[in-house]
Amino acid sequence: MRIFKSLALIALTTLASANYKSVNSVQAKVQTEHKNACILNNGKTIIAGPGPTAQLEGLFDAGDSIAYTLTAPDTAPKRKSYFKLKVHDNVSGKFVFFPKIDITESGTYGPFLVPEDFVSSVVDLQVASFRTADKWTVVFNCVPATPPLPDVDLDAQTSAIAPLIINSQTSNMSKAVSQNVTDRLNGAAPTQQVTENGFLLQYGNGGAENNASAEAVNNLADADTSQTIGSVNYWIKGTGAWFGADNSSFSGRTVDLLVGADKLISPNTIFGVLAGYGKANFSTVVNSNAGSFDAVGYHVGIYGGKKLSDTLMLDGMIAYTRSDYDNKSGAVSGSFDASRITAAANLVGSIKQANYTFMPTISFLYGSENQDAYTDSASVVHASRNIRTGRLSVGPKILFDAMPHNNGTVQPWVAAKWEYDFSNQSVAASTSLPDLSDQSSARVSGGIDFKLQSNAKLSISGDAGGLGSNEYRSYSGSVSLNVPF
């Protein structure tokens, strides 16, 4: 009798084994960035048990706490199911098995801690059932060993540095436009206009615009306006600037390349189009976390200028910019796109003195940028936002008379401006990042131009901005070459 009982037990065991379906595995794949990444698994759901089981993308790091919420199949299992957990470090090769847990009903199991000495951990979860129809719903819950970095860090960087980039790029476009308009409406050759920063190459189709006297740039009243109506001028300008703060909370640089073409539609009126490329790269430190804020933008726009009198000139521009931003603080990063409308205007006077020309200037620029919503690498959603920012600048430029030198002339200049930056973005003082919401500062510039008899001109200039604001410093230097064609 005992023999028959033994045979029957063996048969039942064999039958149970036959009904047992192959164990399905869910593996959390390793990512390169550690800490804060396990939050990516929160709320993710898979169906485990008989049949295919989906894979879960993510990372479990040392010290992470993992729990699983299991929901029983629609039909209660007639026999016990179970799940097993294994964690292995794919760097050292070490692994650990957690005890097998029998399951007969819905519930939350865990938490299970990833060992502290595991560097890069892959977790295998096995859910086994004894019925073909038994499919368990498994929801992953993970608490990272290091809490996610506050998303305020990323938002603070956007609020602080985006307005700085917008103002800088708009200012560069406005300066290029103003310089070119002054050239054309002054009747002076491109080589006779001071280049404040960057480089400028122009081409005009002959006539008095390429042969005006050297004195014309010094006095608008004496300018030769006998240019060819309908003549077209092409130009290209590049600018580089460096930014930083005394508290080392950020540093960076911007580079802009602009091209344009304009047409003289009357002796006192000009109209043109422009296009350009801008790039910005900033390094940051926010709440002791190193980060970065980078941008790439493409510009298109129109501009114009009007000579209001012999001693007063007005120019303006409006442009559209499409930008791509990359934002990172600590281990958390995110990317988003933005579209921007900018406008700027300059009112420039000219008062001739005995040995120099006094040129008072009022400049205004404004930008409105719509930034798309995005989700960062820690699964934190950042809402869309509109950034409105601008700058008012007032100050004189003194252009000294050209002096003979070897086979040409030398002409120095200096400039000083009071600037007021404003923005609808404010930044917490604790971040130490620049706050342009309501800031006054000073800017000083200077340079020297060497003009040859061939009308080619070499210009060397320097610029320092943000002085006295305690928020940021900007420096730019340039070697410029102007060649008329």
Side-chain angles (χ1 to χ4, degrees):
M1 179 63 68
R2 290 183 179 178
I3 295 177
F4 287 109
K5 286 184 178 180
S6 297
L7 291 174
L9 181 58
I10 293 173
L12 290 173
T13 303
T14 303
L15 181 60
S17 299
N19 288 334
Y20 170 74
K21 300 302 177 182
S22 59
V23 172
N24 295 281
S25 174
V26 177
Q27 185 180 73
K29 294 184 178 180
V30 172
Q31 295 176 342
T32 55
E33 287 188 349
H34 299 302
K35 300 188 187 305
N36 308 315
C38 99
I39 198 171
L40 295 173
N41 295 307
N42 281 339
K44 290 193 175 180
T45 303
I46 62 137
I47 305 298
T53 299
Q55 286 188 317
L56 177 70
E57 298 286 345
L59 169 70
F60 294 101
D61 202 9
D64 290 346
S65 175
I66 308 167
Y68 300 90
T69 299
L70 279 72
T71 302
D74 292 339
T75 58
K78 294 182 179 179
R79 298 180 61 88
K80 290 181 180 179
S81 301
Y82 67 85
F83 81 87
K84 294 192 301 184
L85 202 63
K86 180 181 110 172
V87 182
H88 64 272
D89 184 356
N90 67 348
V91 174
S92 66
K94 296 183 295 185
F95 60 88
V96 59
F97 287 98
F98 289 91
K100 183 179 73 171
I101 299 177
D102 292 328
I103 50 176
T104 57
E105 59 184 16
S106 302
T108 298
Y109 300 86
F112 308 96
L113 293 180
V114 177
E116 291 290 347
D117 57 345
F118 279 34
V119 178
S120 181
S121 304
V122 177
V123 176
D124 290 314
L125 169 66
Q126 297 179 341
V127 177
S129 59
F130 291 87
R131 283 172 48 89
T132 303
D134 289 348
K135 293 181 182 292
W136 290 81
T137 301
V138 183
V139 178
F140 292 80
N141 301 287
C142 184
V143 178
T146 302
L149 295 176
D151 60 277
V152 69
D153 291 359
L154 295 182
D155 290 339
Q157 291 185 166
T158 302
S159 297
I161 301 178
L164 195 66
I165 294 173
I166 295 171
N167 283 0
S168 176
Q169 292 182 339
T170 307
S171 176
N172 290 335
M173 284 189 281
S174 180
K175 285 181 179 179
V177 164
S178 187
Q179 177 181 337
N180 193 59
V181 168
T182 303
D183 255 1
R184 295 276 276 159
L185 296 185
N186 223 20
T191 56
Q192 295 167 333
Q193 172 63 25
V194 172
T195 303
E196 291 196 20
N197 50 51
F199 64 88
L200 177 67
L201 296 177
Q202 282 187 311
Y203 173 77
N205 61 344
E209 62 197 55
N210 286 338
N211 297 285
S213 65
E215 288 78 15
V217 72
N218 293 331
N219 190 350
L220 295 178
D222 296 335
D224 180 4
T225 59
S226 59
Q227 302 181 60
T228 303
I229 304 302
S231 62
V232 179
N233 179 65
Y234 304 94
W235 55 270
I236 178 172
K237 181 177 182 180
T239 303
W242 294 261
F243 297 82
D246 292 340
N247 55 23
S248 300
S249 62
F250 83 103
S251 63
R253 62 186 177 89
T254 61
V255 177
D256 293 284
L257 180 65
L258 300 167
V259 296
D262 52 63
K263 189 174 185 179
L264 195 67
I265 58 179
S266 79
N268 295 322
T269 308
I270 187 175
F271 178 81
V273 296
L274 64 85
Y277 167 82
K279 185 175 183 180
N281 302 100
F282 284 82
S283 298
T284 60
V285 178
V286 181
N287 295 326
S288 301
N289 295 308
S292 61
F293 191 85
D294 303 325
V296 173
Y298 300 89
H299 321 292
V300 292
I302 58 175
Y303 65 90
K306 179 73 175 179
K307 197 170 186 180
L308 303 178
S309 70
D310 288 339
T311 58
L312 193 62
M313 188 177 302
L314 176 67
D315 65 77
M317 54 141 282
I318 185 169
Y320 170 82
T321 300
R322 184 66 180 175
S323 297
D324 300 320
Y325 288 95
D326 292 314
N327 195 3
K328 182 177 181 181
S329 180
V332 180
S333 61
S335 300
F336 58 92
D337 299 328
S339 58
R340 179 197 317 163
I341 296 292
T342 52
N346 300 279
L347 186 64
V348 183
S350 179
I351 304 172
K352 185 69 176 73
Q353 301 296 320
N355 299 315
Y356 64 91
T357 299
F358 183 77
M359 304 178 71
T361 303
I362 300 176
S363 302
F364 180 78
L365 61 89
Y366 179 80
S368 177
E369 180 170 275
N370 292 316
Q371 298 179 345
D372 294 344
Y374 69 101
T375 302
D376 64 29
S377 61
S379 293
V380 176
V381 176
H382 298 256
S384 61
R385 66 168 68 190
N386 173 259
I387 292 181
R388 298 184 298 277
T389 184
R391 175 183 295 164
L392 174 66
S393 303
V394 179
K397 177 195 293 185
I398 297 178
L399 182 63
F400 296 96
D401 289 349
M403 299 174 290
H405 177 73
N406 295 336
N407 295 323
T409 60
V410 176
Q411 190 171 37
W413 62 271
V414 294
K417 293 180 180 180
W418 168 81
E419 296 186 330
Y420 172 68
D421 289 289
F422 59 92
S423 172
N424 67 339
Q425 304 292 306
S426 58
V427 184
S430 60
T431 68
S432 300
L433 291 172
D435 188 343
L436 298 188
S437 61
D438 181 17
Q439 288 297 326
S440 295
S441 64
R443 183 178 301 272
V444 294
S445 309
I448 187 169
D449 299 336
F450 300 90
K451 182 183 175 185
L452 305 178
Q453 288 182 346
S454 62
N455 279 339
K457 185 177 71 175
L458 176 67
S459 301
I460 301 174
S461 66
D463 178 285
L467 305 178
S469 69
N470 295 322
E471 294 293 334
Y472 74 96
R473 300 285 186 273
S474 66
Y475 304 95
S476 64
S478 66
V479 177
S480 309
L481 178 64
N482 296 349
V483 181
F485 294 91

